Amino acid sequence: MSTPKPDRWRALRLTLITLFVALAYVFAYRGSFIASGSPLDPRDLLSPDLWAKGGPLLGDFLTPDLAARDIEPVTLQLPVPVPCGSAENGAPAASGPRLVPSVPCAEPRDKFTVEGFELQPNTELQLRWRLPSGQYFPGQFITTDADGYFSAEFEARPIVATKDGVPGQIEVELQVEVGELKPSQAFFDVLDGVIVTIFMALMATAAAVVVAAPFSFLAAQNVTRRGPVGTAVYYTVRTIFNILRSFEAIVIATLFAFWVDFGPFAGVLALTVVTVASLGKLFSEAIEGIDPGPVEALTATGANRLQVVWFAIVPQIVPNFVSFIIYHWDINVRISTIIGYVGGGGIGYYLAQMINTGQDNKAGTAIWAIVLVVWAMDFISAEVRKRYT
Amino acid sequence: MLEVQNLHKVYPNGTRALTDVSFNVEDGEFLVVIGLSGSGKSTLLRCVNRLIEPTQGKILWDGVDVTAATGAELRGVRRRIGMIFQQFNLVKRSTVMTNVLAGRLGYVGTAGSLVGLWSAEDKAQALRALERVGLAEKANARADALSGGQQQRVAIARALMQNPQLILADEPVASLDPVLSHSILQYLEQLNREEKITVVCSLHFLDLVHRYATRVIALKDGQVVFTGLPQEIDKARFKEIYGEDAIEVKAGLSA
Ligand SMILES: Nc1ncnc2c1ncn2[C@@H]1O[C@H](COP(=O)(O)OP(=O)(O)O)[C@@H](O)[C@H]1O
Ligand SMILES: [Mg+2]
């Protein structure tokens, strides 16, 4: 019986490896694969193109999307009377987000420029005329520069002429962040994905225990292998465990996808099968490793086989079983993340979606969450096992 | 009466552990089996309750052919034969009480015992058995929290739960120091005298044999080489039984 005995160092190493693999994947996928259109080639690592793409990407991962403020639309307006003198001229503000026209008023069909200052940087905005009637007349789309500045041509159309002393106004709609910093949507989505993944692993592990525990006794030499029938049962169960164990969870998940839709259900089913095989073997080895003395002693009292199993074997294997179960839950969280990545739901699926749609900050959030969860599960499982044995 | 007739045991690997062993044990005897390590003592005792299948020969107990019994019949035979082991063979992670109650498993229904439903009678008997070996206050301790001598007393209490007519004891004191050895053997002697329980016990040390046995049989290489009273075993006989290793065993005696 050999459960690995993880320590802090193992946990740290695990974290670093996970992080490295995730980053390597993203680099490779977004940089090399897309850039060259061909599968991975180590020489691509030297291509400046890769690093040019990878650099900002790395930045995105280091700044995961965790928190955001509420966004409210705010309209910035300034009266520009058409024709001149039909109403009072607008007075641009001296600072803050503002629109500044090159002329205070205009005649119909005049062209003038409007500059915007201290707006959101690098943002696409739509310029428009607000008519005296209250309706608006759409204008061109512009994009602010890094300082939140733009400059654009406007035309004073007859339709914007002052009516009943009310002037037309130039305006732009801004998205303004207001209020406290709150957990972002990505944060909640990631949290949701993590919980789904942990529960997928938990359900698969629990279902597997229910199946593997009884069968593991049949695959234990010291319980079953007596007489021709016992020997046949022993070899049959053992062989089934061995065959199942030779499959990868992901392969089985793909097979199940033909039956049921590829999603969390197929993922859990596949994970269950793999876990049954693995736990079945670990369990039966634990049973074979028990002290045979109590079995002998209770057989000698006239107890039947079921009583001997329950009173002499079960108490001896409980600590091992508990530690194997927790160990497997831990492993299954990792596997179900991967199954999720190929479509099985949970955090893996979210990560795949974000990477494929280029939302790298959100992918970053997911990767950090995976690292955190894998590390935490590893730590918890090690602690529980330490305490229980 | 226990009758062992022409018993042979050949292990699957070809080892001849017992060859044509025959002897009788009268009710109420304290029969001690001596012999070198490997001479077949454990094999012999385990053949009596069929923990080991004899290859050939017969064992009759009160006229019932133990060697022919199967299933429920065999369990019925076993539950009247208590057994004590060198390594105590308690379930270490279970409580003392559970270990003692396990001695009743041959008498109770499977379903009830699996869910831990013991009758008030069984529990009372378990407490009495523990009192008898002086461990009533340890009832709720885990078995592995007890010393070796205490564990062996729990094992005796477990055997008592079977209301046995015969107790097989396979080197019950080989893992204990001399003082504890006497205390354990005195419990067996008491059961033998007061409850008229027949005892078949293998022992290693000559002074213990002289002190407790009412009769002795000696095994050498799986064959009976001596049957008689303990007083008949003098140094010469002892050397005959133990061969060149006699000195070694005597060294153990003086310890
Ligand atoms: N399960 C077994 N398989 C093969 N040989 C065995 C087995 N158990 C005991 N033996 C052999 O049978 C012989 C008698 O052993 P045993 O009855 O344990 O002797 P003792 O109890 O007197 O030391 C020894 O030679 C031992 O090696
Ligand atoms: Mg022995």
Side-chain angles (χ1 to χ4, degrees):
Chain A
M1 285 161 291
S2 56
T3 41
K5 294 202 167 53
D7 48 27
R8 306 288 148 97
W9 163 233
R10 207 176 87 85
L12 178 67
R13 208 173 44 194
L14 193 72
T15 310
L16 291 178
I17 291 174
T18 314
L19 196 62
F20 176 79
V21 169
L23 285 177
Y25 177 86
V26 173
F27 261 79
Y29 183 79
R30 307 268 293 155
S32 154
F33 191 69
I34 287 189
S36 63
S38 66
L40 290 183
D41 178 342
R43 279 169 304 183
D44 288 352
L45 279 178
L46 298 176
S47 115
D49 196 30
L50 171 67
W51 291 96
K53 287 180 190 204
L57 210 60
L58 187 62
D60 283 340
F61 281 110
L62 294 177
T63 54
D65 178 353
L66 284 175
R69 292 177 211 279
D70 277 340
I71 291 191
E72 232 172 49
V74 169
T75 312
L76 204 56
Q77 294 178 321
L78 191 76
V80 177
V82 175
C84 279
S86 60
E88 207 169 311
N89 291 345
S95 65
R98 59 193 186 274
L99 296 176
V100 180
S102 56
V103 292
C105 60
E107 298 306 321
R109 305 222 180 274
D110 271 1
K111 293 211 168 120
F112 59 97
T113 48
V114 175
E115 289 174 302
F117 296 93
E118 298 180 45
L119 308 175
Q120 285 156 297
N122 305 316
T123 311
E124 191 178 60
L125 300 169
Q126 189 184 23
L127 299 176
R128 56 201 187 194
W129 275 105
R130 180 66 60 177
L131 307 181
S133 64
Q135 292 171 310
Y136 71 79
F137 182 82
Q140 69 190 110
F141 283 94
I142 49 94
T143 303
T144 55
D145 69 9
D147 297 324
Y149 170 83
F150 76 86
S151 162
E153 283 272 287
F154 251 71
E155 185 181 356
R157 292 166 179 275
I159 194 176
V160 306
T162 307
K163 212 174 186 180
D164 303 333
V166 181
Q169 310 193 47
I170 52 172
E171 73 172 38
V172 65
E173 194 175 85
L174 307 173
Q175 304 292 326
V176 177
E177 293 182 339
V178 293
E180 292 291 298
L181 213 53
K182 293 195 298 192
S184 63
Q185 188 57 40
F187 177 87
F188 287 113
D189 290 345
V190 163
L191 194 66
D192 197 56
V194 162
I195 290 172
V196 167
T197 295
I198 291 178
F199 269 83
M200 276 170 64
L202 185 64
M203 277 165 58
T205 312
V209 169
V210 170
V211 179
F215 279 100
S216 64
F217 284 90
L218 298 182
Q221 150 134 269
N222 51 345
V223 177
T224 308
R225 208 172 160 190
R226 253 173 251 160
V229 178
T231 306
V233 170
Y234 164 79
Y235 278 112
T236 310
V237 178
R238 190 147 270 239
T239 306
I240 292 174
F241 281 163
N242 282 336
I243 292 174
L244 288 182
R245 239 156 21 90
S246 62
F247 286 107
E248 275 296 320
I250 241 171
V251 176
I252 297 189
T254 317
L255 288 180
F256 279 135
F258 287 109
W259 284 358
V260 293
D261 273 345
F262 207 60
F265 186 58
V268 168
L269 228 53
L271 212 49
T272 305
V273 171
V274 181
T275 310
V276 163
S278 172
L279 276 183
K281 181 160 161 62
L282 287 172
F283 282 179
S284 58
E285 275 170 2
I287 294 168
E288 285 174 352
I290 59 156
D291 171 11
V295 174
E296 198 177 30
L298 293 199
T299 306
T301 67
N304 62 36
R305 193 116 46 116
L306 210 55
Q307 290 172 321
V308 170
V309 166
W310 185 253
F311 281 91
I313 298 182
V314 169
Q316 294 195 57
I317 55 177
V318 163
N320 275 321
F321 273 38
V322 168
S323 100
F324 289 144
I325 291 167
I326 292 172
Y327 173 61
H328 255 276
W329 183 22
D330 174 16
I331 290 181
N332 282 351
V333 167
R334 294 176 218 178
I335 301 182
S336 70
T337 305
I338 296 167
I339 290 182
Y341 198 95
V342 297
I347 186 66
Y349 186 56
Y350 179 86
L351 175 63
Q353 280 182 316
M354 292 309 121
I355 286 180
N356 293 339
T357 55
Q359 302 184 61
D360 295 332
N361 291 95
K362 291 180 179 169
T365 316
I367 287 178
W368 283 110
I370 291 169
V371 169
L372 201 70
V373 167
V374 166
W375 180 82
M377 287 297 300
D378 190 67
F379 179 77
I380 292 169
S381 102
E383 284 298 306
V384 172
R385 275 182 287 157
K386 216 188 294 168
R387 222 152 284 178
Y388 208 89
T389 39
Chain B
M1 189 170 78
L2 182 71
E3 298 162 74
V4 176
Q5 300 173 350
N6 311 105
L7 199 66
H8 292 255
K9 174 63 187 179
V10 183
Y11 281 107
N13 66 3
T15 309
R16 306 187 66 86
L18 295 175
T19 307
D20 200 26
V21 171
S22 298
F23 63 94
N24 291 343
V25 188
E26 299 293 337
D27 288 345
E29 277 195 286
F30 196 121
L31 178 80
V32 169
V33 183
I34 60 172
L36 269 177
S37 174
S39 60
K41 303 182 297 294
S42 298
T43 305
L44 174 60
L45 292 186
R46 280 169 175 73
C47 281
V48 171
N49 62 1
R50 297 264 304 279
L51 288 181
I52 290 177
E53 287 299 326
T55 311
Q56 200 188 314
K58 239 182 195 180
I59 294 169
L60 300 177
W61 188 39
D62 286 343
V64 177
D65 188 352
V66 175
T67 32
T70 53
E73 197 189 349
L74 176 60
R75 291 198 297 274
V77 169
R78 279 175 177 163
R79 71 182 187 184
R80 306 306 298 268
I81 303 178
M83 191 155 189
I84 315 283
F85 304 83
Q86 177 180 347
Q87 298 303 334
F88 327 131
N89 289 358
L90 299 184
V91 183
K92 296 204 172 58
R93 290 176 45 83
S94 296
T95 63
V96 166
M97 191 65 178
T98 305
N99 270 287
V100 175
L101 282 168
R104 276 313 283 167
L105 285 174
Y107 290 89
V108 299
T110 306
S113 64
L114 293 194
V115 293
L117 282 177
W118 297 95
S119 70
E121 263 163 79
D122 288 342
K123 287 185 198 162
Q125 189 187 350
L127 271 180
R128 278 200 305 278
L130 277 174
E131 262 161 37
R132 182 148 200 174
V133 296
L135 285 174
E137 81 283 5
K138 297 280 187 193
N140 294 316
R142 249 171 66 152
D144 56 7
L146 271 53
S147 71
Q150 289 174 325
Q151 291 193 30
Q152 194 61 300
R153 279 144 70 194
V154 173
I156 292 175
R158 176 173 64 191
L160 274 179
M161 292 299 283
Q162 296 174 240
N163 297 331
Q165 288 161 1
L166 169 67
I167 287 181
L168 305 169
D170 187 14
E171 309 215 28
V173 297
S175 309
L176 303 174
D177 64 42
V179 179
L180 284 173
S181 297
H182 277 291
S183 106
I184 294 298
L185 287 171
Q186 273 160 14
Y187 280 115
L188 290 182
E189 186 179 46
Q190 202 185 15
L191 296 177
N192 174 246
R193 293 205 178 140
E194 293 171 11
E195 317 279 325
K196 306 286 176 240
I197 298 172
T198 310
V199 175
V200 177
C201 175
S202 61
L203 286 177
H204 233 85
F205 296 140
L206 192 56
D207 61 339
L208 295 180
V209 177
H210 280 147
R211 164 72 180 75
Y212 295 98
T214 60
R215 211 156 59 87
V216 178
I217 68 169
L219 290 179
K220 190 175 181 183
D221 297 332
Q223 284 176 301
V224 179
V225 294
F226 171 85
T227 315
L229 298 175
Q231 307 86 279
E232 293 174 54
I233 306 179
D234 52 16
K235 282 191 180 155
R237 266 277 156 63
F238 194 69
K239 189 152 188 172
E240 206 179 293
I241 296 163
Y242 281 94
E244 291 113 47
D245 292 319
I247 298 129
E248 214 178 296
V249 178
K250 268 195 232 162
L253 269 179
S254 57

